[in-house]
Amino acid sequence: MTHSPGQDIPPPPTYPGHPVEPAASLPLPEHPDTSAPAYPGTADDTPDRPLASAPAPAPAYPGTPDDTAPLYPGAPVSAAPAYPRDPAPPPPPGQLGPAPDPLPGRPEQHPHQMDFEQRRVHLTARQRGADATALSRLLVQVPAFLCSLAVVTGFASAFFGSAAWLPVTVWVLSGALVFHRPTESFLARRLLRLRAPTPAERARLEPVWREVTARAGVDHQRYEPWIEESDDINAYAAAGHIVGVTTFSLNHLPNGQLAAALAHELGHHTGGHAWASLLGQWYAQPAELTWRAIRAMSRFALRVARVISLPATGVLVLLFGCGLLALVAAAWMVLLPMAVAPYLLALVNRRAELRADAHAAGLGFAHPLAGVLHTMRAHEEARYAAAGPRAPRAAGLAKLLSSHPDYADRLQRLQPYLDERPPR
């Protein structure tokens, strides 16, 4: 059997029992391309590892022309955000002079900005009392109370006869309403023009008030801060459980100075100054209203007499003079103290302010309180300067009727607290 060159000869068949001989090794077909394929991304066809390519640049920040982060709104290129100017340092303790604005720069950089942290509160056994100033205020207002009692008794006897004791008793017991919260809230809204703080104002006020009450050992819910719409730096103890603070003080004072003002007013409450003053004013209303009515009637009678004739005016003045002398002779023990009472009340009020300053300083707010007094003095001097050299100033008897001491006197009383190391 013949075969063509290049053809493979098949192996011979095997038979049972015949040993199998190994077949000859057949050559493997050659690969059409002996070189390995080039690795994707390499520069040549070698099977080496891929070349290390340079890292791709980071994508640009959205909305910016390059790969830089966006600038602070309104800031110059390559500059930090421009904050307001830093505040000037406060005046030395005890030295009078113009004080800086309450918040000329960032609040967190103000020297009277404090860090208030929540901590355990130890409440005192007595949340309200009556110090010597409160008792003195009540004692001074006793003559006005007796005059009011006489007026109420006279009107009750004229209208109720034998049952006059009932309206008189109701009037005497009505003084307890100054401690009734719904009643004092109504009076604070209607008479004092106060309102409850908004959520934003409460968020600003609550940490400061909690710190003040915690240092005093007073339950922060016993007295409630309210807001007065005013552009003055002021706060005051109103009614029996309310502390009023102006919107200017809330929005412009650093929290240390705001805490000092609130601590001052808390001193009026815990010392009994607020309720004693309100109680005295309440019981003096009948006598004061009666005196105003008598003055109005006298002025009206004099005007009518002048229209009629000059002799009629003289007769009317003579009658009023005789009646006044008879009244003084009959009740001089009450009328004479009432004539002196305004000056005594002003003296007691000035004493109460100094006691409230000492209360705030004792809680660690002496330096912020001094800053508040400097600022208030500067604002007062600015108002006098704007009014001109002929602006009236309190002097003589008018100064004796002032309810607040001079700023120099208050700062002098704070000097022992200012000499101490300021609290952290």
Side-chain angles (χ1 to χ4, degrees), residues 1-4 7-14 23-24 26:
M1 185 167 115
T2 61
H3 67 280
S4 303
Q7 294 182 351
D8 294 335
I9 300 175
T14 58
L26 300 179

Side-chain angles (χ1 to χ4, degrees), residues 35 51 115 159 162 171 188 283 323 329 334 355 377-378 390 415:
S35 62
L51 296 177
D115 295 330
F159 290 98
S162 60
W171 175 75
Y283 284 128
V334 176
R355 282 183 173 268
R377 181 180 183 274
R390 296 184 179 181
Q415 194 61 46

Side-chain angles (χ1 to χ4, degrees), residues 171-373:
W171 175 75
V172 172
L173 296 179
S174 64
L177 292 176
V178 301
F179 304 104
H180 185 235
R181 289 209 171 190
T183 303
E184 69 176 355
S185 298
F186 174 81
L187 296 177
R189 286 190 177 95
R190 299 299 180 181
L191 300 181
L192 302 178
R193 304 299 180 185
L194 298 177
R195 61 171 176 83
T198 63
E201 292 170 339
R202 189 176 298 277
R204 155 78 168 157
L205 193 58
E206 188 68 18
V208 180
W209 181 242
R210 283 180 177 270
E211 178 68 18
V212 171
T213 54
R215 295 191 184 190
V218 175
D219 185 5
H220 73 281
Q221 295 181 350
R222 185 175 183 86
Y223 304 102
E224 185 179 2
W226 280 38
I227 305 299
E228 178 192 9
E229 295 288 345
S230 175
D231 293 333
D232 295 331
I233 302 177
N234 195 16
Y236 51 90
H241 303 88
I242 294 177
V243 175
V245 60
T246 61
T247 52
F248 184 89
S249 302
L250 181 65
N251 298 327
H252 293 80
L253 291 181
N255 61 358
Q257 293 187 1
L258 180 60
L262 294 178
H264 173 94
E265 304 307 329
L266 182 61
H268 284 311
H269 274 302
T270 56
H273 309 159
W275 69 261
S277 176
L278 186 61
L279 204 61
Q281 292 177 5
W282 173 256
Y283 284 128
Q285 285 301 311
E288 184 177 353
L289 293 177
T290 303
W291 175 245
R292 290 181 180 179
I294 293 175
R295 291 179 60 184
M297 293 173 58
S298 302
R299 291 176 181 177
F300 178 75
L302 289 175
R303 289 179 181 178
V304 173
R306 288 177 183 176
V307 173
I308 297 175
S309 65
L310 185 60
T313 304
V315 173
L316 190 60
V317 171
L318 182 61
L319 291 177
F320 278 138
C322 294
L324 183 60
L325 290 177
L327 182 62
V328 171
W332 64 271
M333 290 182 295
V334 176
L335 296 180
L336 184 59
M338 285 190 64
V340 185
Y343 300 96
L344 296 178
L345 281 177
L347 178 62
V348 173
N349 289 336
R350 292 193 294 270
R351 182 64 180 173
E353 293 299 323
L354 295 177
R355 282 183 173 268
D357 286 347
H359 179 267
L363 297 181
F365 298 111
H367 289 268
L369 181 60
V372 174
L373 295 178

Side-chain angles (χ1 to χ4, degrees), residues 343 393-401:
Y343 300 96
R393 291 174 179 260
L397 294 179
K399 193 173 183 179
L400 294 178
L401 292 173

